[in-house]
């Protein structure tokens, strides 16, 4: 893409009411537009990152045997009354609305209820199990606080997967596979080194659930990490019993602020009992379907990458989620420079390397500042000087390392 086609502008200052570092950077770099407190629009660059994150999540969910659906946001009150989650006194994040005839509707903040009810039409026998169903869908939550930028918003995409098994053993097995898939996702988006599978409160069916927590001072949670054993515990559940249970020593644990980027939860028959989701086992007996739920917030992941990997000059995108892999920065508009830069842009496009081509008639300082702020992984500078030398000036955004490379070397490196 030619940068002059990009309608978004970079800016020196974020809106004065934007207090979070992630949203400040993402707005300044033209990835996000702030609509309201806790409500953002994804601009072309931000959308490209979000879609890359979604692609990674989809690949991992499909490899678990997940099949994708898309639920409605509008919700039927009756199904939520059946589980006791309609009343706004019990669930304080509901956004609710009404039909013209006064019928109440909700805007889904999660989807256990409608998916469990829907699965009644598709599961009746042990032969129909297991099933793993997921979606990447917009949730609405009337969150009290909106000071974490894109990491906590009132309208946000969520990947939510629901597992349906015959028994607890099936659930356990899938739960562990899902946990491994989550760790692969956080590794692939560039958060592997700072993300811990964390013991958290489990609800009625299971003693613990697991959160995936990325260490960051911008996080809203507090966790205790045993680095040696790669085990973490949320402060909310940490006590002497839990320490004994998990065989942890208090003195091995280090306290950190952290961002909950995902979580997985064993539900047992809580929802299937309330909504009558059963199957006939091999003896013809009706049994409740055993469920689990598995969430990730793609936009929170995006904000976490922005928060954790950025530096004083701006964003720093890992290759797998970057909006473009390469930023060609052309200095000058002489004939030779233009034809050389145009040619490299065409070659990279033909090779399938996503490239942003800065051909704007701006001063080098402005172009470099924009490129630093946007944070694409590889920058290729083309100027009269580089043409003289027969090489490109290639630098890595993450380390700042600069090399003079021939086209052959560059293509080799990118492939
Ligand atoms: P939190 O404790 O941070 O409010 P939660 O426990 O409510 O999160 P879930 O309901 O399990 O989270 O949602 C699954 C995932 O969706 C979370 O792990 C997080 O990545 C993401 N998520 C939750 N709330 C938001 C939000 N308001 N904005 C963006 N992403 C969110
Ligand atoms: Mg919440």
């Amino acid at each position: 893409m030619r940068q002059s086609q990009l309608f978004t502008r970079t800016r020196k200052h974020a809106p004065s009411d934007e207090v979070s570092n992630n949203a400040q950077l993402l707005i300044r770099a033209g990835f996000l537009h702030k609509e309201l407190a806790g409500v953002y629009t994804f601009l072309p660059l931000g959308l490209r990152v979000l879609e890359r994150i979604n692609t990674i999540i989809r690949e991992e969910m499909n490899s678990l045997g997940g099949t994708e659906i898309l639920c409605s946001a509008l919700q039927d009150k009756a199904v939520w009354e059946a589980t006791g989650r309609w009343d706004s006194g019990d669930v304080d994040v509901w956004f609710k609305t009404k039909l013209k005839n006064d019928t109440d509707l909700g805007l889904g903040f999660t989807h256990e209820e409608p998916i469990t009810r829907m699965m009644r039409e598709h599961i009746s026998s042990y032969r129909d199990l297991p099933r793993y169903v997921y979606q990447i869908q917009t949730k609405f939550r009337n969150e009290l606080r909106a000071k974490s930028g894109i990491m906590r918003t009132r309208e946000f995409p969520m990947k939510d997967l629901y597992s349906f098994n015959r028994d607890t053993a099936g659930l356990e097995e899938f739960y562990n596979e899902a946990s491994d898939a989550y760790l692969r996702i956080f590794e692939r988006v560039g958060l592997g080194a700072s993300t811990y599978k964390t013991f958290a409160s489990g609800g009625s069916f299971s003693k613990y659930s697991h959160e995936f927590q990325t260490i960051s001072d911008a996080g809203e949670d507090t966790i205790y990490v045993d680095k040696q054993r790669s085990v973490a515990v949320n402060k909310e559940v940490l006590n002497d019993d839990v320490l004994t249970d998990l065989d942890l020593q208090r003195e091995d644990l280090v306290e950190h602020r952290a961002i909950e980027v995902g979580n997985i939860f064993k539900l047992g028959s809580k929802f299937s009992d309330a909504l009558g989701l059963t199957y006939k086992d091999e003896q013809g007996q009706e049994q409740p379907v055993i469920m689990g739920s598995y969430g990730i917030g793609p936009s929170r992941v995006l904000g976490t990458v922005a928060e954790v990997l950025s530096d004083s000059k701006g964003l720093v995108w890992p290759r797998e989620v970057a909006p473009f892999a390469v930023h060609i920065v052309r200095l000058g508009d002489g004939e030779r420079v233009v034809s050389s830069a145009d040619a490299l842009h065409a070659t990279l496009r033909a090779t399938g390397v996503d490239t942003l081509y800065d051909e704007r008639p701006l001063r080098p300082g402005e172009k470099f500042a924009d490129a630093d702020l946007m944070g694409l992984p590889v920058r290729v500078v083309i100027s009269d000087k580089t043409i003289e030398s027969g090489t490109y000036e290639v630098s890595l955004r993450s380390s700042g390392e600069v090399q003079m490379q021939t086209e052959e070397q560059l293509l080799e490196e990118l492939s």
Side-chain angles (χ1 to χ4, degrees), residues 93 141 143 152 156 260 300:
V93 295
R141 290 187 184 181
E143 300 276 6
R152 181 178 299 286
F156 61 95
E260 183 204 306
R300 185 177 288 184

Side-chain angles (χ1 to χ4, degrees), residues 159-225:
K159 186 288 297 173
D160 40 333
L161 183 143
Y162 303 89
S163 64
F164 302 88
N165 285 93
R166 296 177 190 176
D167 50 29
T168 324
L171 168 64
E172 292 288 342
E173 193 182 326
F174 182 78
Y175 187 88
N176 292 331
E177 287 169 13
S179 165
D180 291 344
Y182 268 46
L183 290 172
R184 285 196 298 274
I185 290 168
F186 299 120
E187 184 72 45
R188 290 178 64 183
V189 300
L191 297 174
S194 50
T195 302
Y196 288 87
K197 182 175 171 181
T198 305
F199 287 88
S201 69
S204 56
F205 178 74
S206 142
K207 191 160 181 187
Y208 304 108
S209 68
H210 289 92
E211 296 170 340
F212 293 81
Q213 294 273 5
T214 305
I215 291 175
S216 163
D217 286 336
E220 296 181 11
D221 289 12
T222 302
I223 63 168
Y224 289 84
V225 180

Side-chain angles (χ1 to χ4, degrees), residues 8-156:
T8 55
R9 290 201 187 137
T10 57
R11 45 197 273 189
K12 283 223 158 56
H13 302 287
S16 56
D17 64 340
E18 189 57 76
V19 292
S20 80
N21 182 44
N22 66 82
Q24 284 182 355
L25 282 171
L26 291 162
I27 291 171
R28 286 182 49 219
F31 285 58
L32 283 187
H33 169 74
K34 183 168 189 167
E35 291 291 340
L36 298 164
V39 182
Y40 297 87
T41 288
F42 285 88
L43 298 173
L45 293 169
L47 182 59
R48 290 180 76 102
V49 178
L50 188 66
E51 292 194 327
R52 285 185 185 273
I53 293 170
N54 286 344
T55 298
I56 291 170
I57 294 173
R58 275 200 180 91
E59 285 172 7
E60 296 296 343
M61 293 303 104
N62 292 344
S63 81
L64 281 175
T67 44
E68 188 169 0
I69 63 169
L70 182 59
C71 287
S72 68
L74 292 176
Q75 295 295 305
D76 174 10
K77 174 180 170 181
V79 71
W80 296 87
E81 280 177 334
T83 60
R85 290 214 288 180
W86 174 257
D87 197 293
S88 299
D90 299 323
V91 174
D92 61 0
V93 295
W94 269 119
F95 278 109
K96 290 177 179 170
T97 186
K98 278 180 192 297
L99 294 179
K100 300 272 191 215
N101 70 6
D102 240 26
T103 303
D104 286 317
L105 295 179
L107 294 173
F109 65 94
T110 181
H111 278 79
E112 281 83 1
E113 279 81 347
I115 289 189
T116 305
R117 183 173 69 176
M118 176 196 75
M119 290 306 275
R120 285 200 322 221
E121 296 175 21
H122 303 283
I123 294 172
S124 54
S125 147
Y126 66 91
R127 289 186 209 89
D128 301 326
L129 294 170
R131 291 285 186 250
Y132 307 114
V133 178
Y134 77 96
Q135 60 174 343
I136 299 177
Q137 187 263 2
T138 304
K139 306 290 187 234
F140 294 87
R141 290 187 184 181
N142 200 347
E143 300 276 6
L144 190 60
R145 291 163 300 163
K147 58 176 174 49
S148 294
I150 195 66
M151 301 193 305
R152 181 178 299 286
T153 57
R154 300 194 163 104
E155 173 183 341
F156 61 95

Side-chain angles (χ1 to χ4, degrees), residues 243-305:
L243 286 176
T244 315
D245 195 27
L246 302 176
D247 193 23
L248 292 169
Q249 308 300 319
R250 183 62 190 84
E251 54 275 20
D252 296 336
L253 299 177
V254 180
E255 184 182 301
H256 292 281
R257 299 293 285 173
I259 302 161
E260 183 204 306
V261 282
N263 68 21
I264 59 177
F265 217 95
K266 294 173 194 163
L267 300 169
S269 60
K270 181 175 166 188
F271 291 90
S272 38
D273 285 341
L275 294 163
L277 176 64
T278 59
Y279 72 97
K280 272 201 174 56
D281 67 15
E282 288 173 70
Q283 282 72 46
Q285 299 284 334
E286 289 290 334
Q287 301 288 352
V289 173
I290 301 300
M291 292 175 54
S293 71
Y294 311 79
I296 291 186
S299 56
R300 185 177 288 184
V301 169
L302 184 156
T304 303
V305 173

